[in-house]
Amino acid sequence: FKEKNTKIVSLDLGRNKEVGTDEGKPLLQAIIDMLLDEEVPLTKLSLEHCQLKAEDALGSSELARLMEALETCNPPLKELDLRGCRFGPVVGQLAPKLAQVETLWLDDNDIKMEHIAAMMPSFSQEQSRLRSLHLGSNILDNDGAVALSVELGWNQKLQELHLP
């Protein structure tokens, strides 16, 4: 991507079947390079429904390095779409990195109340950039939604919460 156009501001790889496979590793590395290159003004990245593996978001895989790049990219990524990536079990561990974007789409990620409790402290930190959080189509019942609203009651930064 970088060699062809350094002015890319939005990259949509949604539903790409290779991103979560060995064949997709060079693609993830190219995205990391774009995020870390100050001359590439990438502000929006969509990896929705890309068959990513939650366990790969931790450790030393390309996906884990992509998550790490979220903390250091300059300019910061404004919007990250991870709908349908099934990150529920690891979302708490990823929260400090995910809190570096302004708009975060985590719809359809099998997120349960215990995952919400694990990620909220990071989203409420002073250095968090998160302003809009999308959590639709997860495993939250009415009690979970009430607990979430209480948890977010002291978050002064979050402006939009989507729970359809």
Side-chain angles (χ1 to χ4, degrees):
F1 296 107
K2 186 177 141 189
E3 292 80 14
K4 294 181 182 178
N5 186 351
T6 60
K7 302 299 180 198
I8 293 176
V9 296
S10 179
L11 182 58
D12 185 349
L13 296 171
R15 301 187 187 278
N16 185 306
K17 302 294 186 219
E18 288 187 6
V19 171
T21 67
D22 286 341
E23 292 81 20
K25 288 180 180 182
L27 181 55
L28 284 176
Q29 185 57 53
I31 296 169
I32 294 167
D33 292 344
M34 289 173 69
L35 285 172
L36 297 177
D37 187 338
E38 292 180 11
E39 294 181 20
V40 179
L42 186 66
T43 59
K44 181 178 178 183
L45 175 62
S46 175
L47 297 172
E48 59 114 359
H49 294 283
C50 276
Q51 300 181 356
L52 301 171
K53 298 177 186 81
E55 61 274 9
D56 287 347
L58 307 171
S60 62
S61 71
E62 281 76 12
L63 182 56
R65 289 197 303 276
L66 174 65
M67 294 294 131
E68 291 291 329
L70 293 175
E71 290 185 301
T72 58
C73 63
N74 186 21
L77 194 64
K78 290 186 178 185
E79 187 170 335
L80 179 61
D81 187 345
L82 296 173
R83 287 178 287 179
C85 289
R86 307 290 190 240
F87 279 2
V90 299
V91 75
Q93 294 162 284
L94 295 176
K97 297 157 185 62
L98 298 175
Q100 299 309 307
V101 299
E102 291 178 18
T103 301
L104 180 60
W105 298 80
L106 288 174
D107 303 81
D108 194 21
N109 263 277
D110 297 335
I111 295 174
K112 300 177 184 175
M113 194 55 222
E114 60 264 25
H115 305 137
I116 296 286
M119 68 182 179
M120 282 302 119
S122 294
F123 291 169
S124 299
Q125 294 289 324
E126 181 65 31
Q127 61 271 28
S128 173
R129 292 186 179 105
L130 190 63
R131 301 295 177 267
S132 179
L133 178 60
H134 299 257
L135 291 170
S137 300
N138 280 295
I139 308 171
L140 297 175
D141 56 15
N142 286 339
D143 292 337
V146 169
L148 175 62
S149 66
V150 169
E151 187 77 29
L152 289 172
W154 47 273
N155 185 318
Q156 300 297 311
K157 293 185 172 197
L158 196 64
Q159 298 169 356
E160 297 178 20
L161 176 62
H162 302 268
L163 296 170

